[in-house]
Amino acid sequence: MESDMGGRGDDRNRTRADIVDVAARLINEGGVGAVTTRSVAAAAGVQAPTIYRLFGDKEGLLDAVAEHVFSAYVDTKRSGVQTDDALADLDRGWSTHVGFGLANPALFTLLAEPERGKRLTASAGGIDILRERVHRVALAGRLAVTERRAVDMIHAAGTGVVLALLAMPIERRDSALADSIYAAIKRAVLTDVDDAPSAGISAAAIALRAGLSETSVLSEAERVLMAEWLDRIAAD
């Protein structure tokens, strides 16, 4: 009996995975509008009620597709080689993000929907990777703003520039736009970049704040107080 139940569970998972793969292909080929219960059921070789049973409705299916595609993308970023150059790793992360968006226009637009993004665990995973990379830049003393501000700015710019490029006709798409936006962001959040203003004591405070959790000479209460002071200095 247990073996039969396990077999049915495996069949259900395979059917679910097949439907998600089919829906992802349809989105890549014809956009989100190409995904209907009828089209997915026909392409996957299942009955329409199967889709409702597994995903609830079309939105549930789209969530599953977005989760699947973005999880694979995040896993690729997470497994990438980390070098000793925190800034170079941040640069590569930006390029990878833009490249993924332009290679998967319909899926990226789906992922960029704010409400859908809140529902996806993979979306949070992508932000976590960005936070880790920004944290390393902060530890290197190269951050001119707080880590949270840097993450928010890079994330917003990355999403916005890809959507802007996707909105352009391919023949008029400005391939240098993403580089120009990133250069502007770097001038705003980093020290010693082109004409970026020197952050001085703020950069030192941000670097110390980034490594505060690793110190063992302070009590927990002292770390909390020191973190508050450093945040205030960094924001000054």
Side-chain angles (χ1 to χ4, degrees), residues 79-85 89 92 132-133 136:
S79 62
V81 177
Q82 178 176 293
T83 72
D84 293 331
D85 190 333
D89 289 344
R92 276 190 291 275
E132 292 168 7
R133 290 178 174 170
R136 291 180 57 227

Side-chain angles (χ1 to χ4, degrees), residues 127 130-131 134 146-156:
I127 294 293
L130 176 57
R131 287 195 186 101
V134 169
T146 64
E147 291 183 51
R148 180 175 179 177
R149 175 58 64 86
V151 169
D152 288 346
M153 291 179 69
I154 295 170
H155 175 64

Side-chain angles (χ1 to χ4, degrees), residues 195-207:
D195 58 347
S198 174
I201 192 172
S202 293
I206 292 165

Side-chain angles (χ1 to χ4, degrees), residues 134-174:
V134 169
H135 181 67
R136 291 180 57 227
V137 174
L139 286 172
R142 294 295 309 278
L143 212 55
V145 298
T146 64
E147 291 183 51
R148 180 175 179 177
R149 175 58 64 86
V151 169
D152 288 346
M153 291 179 69
I154 295 170
H155 175 64
T159 301
V161 75
V162 172
L163 290 177
L165 288 170
L166 293 178
M168 300 176 184
I170 294 178
E171 65 275 11
R172 292 173 48 200
R173 192 169 290 169
D174 182 359

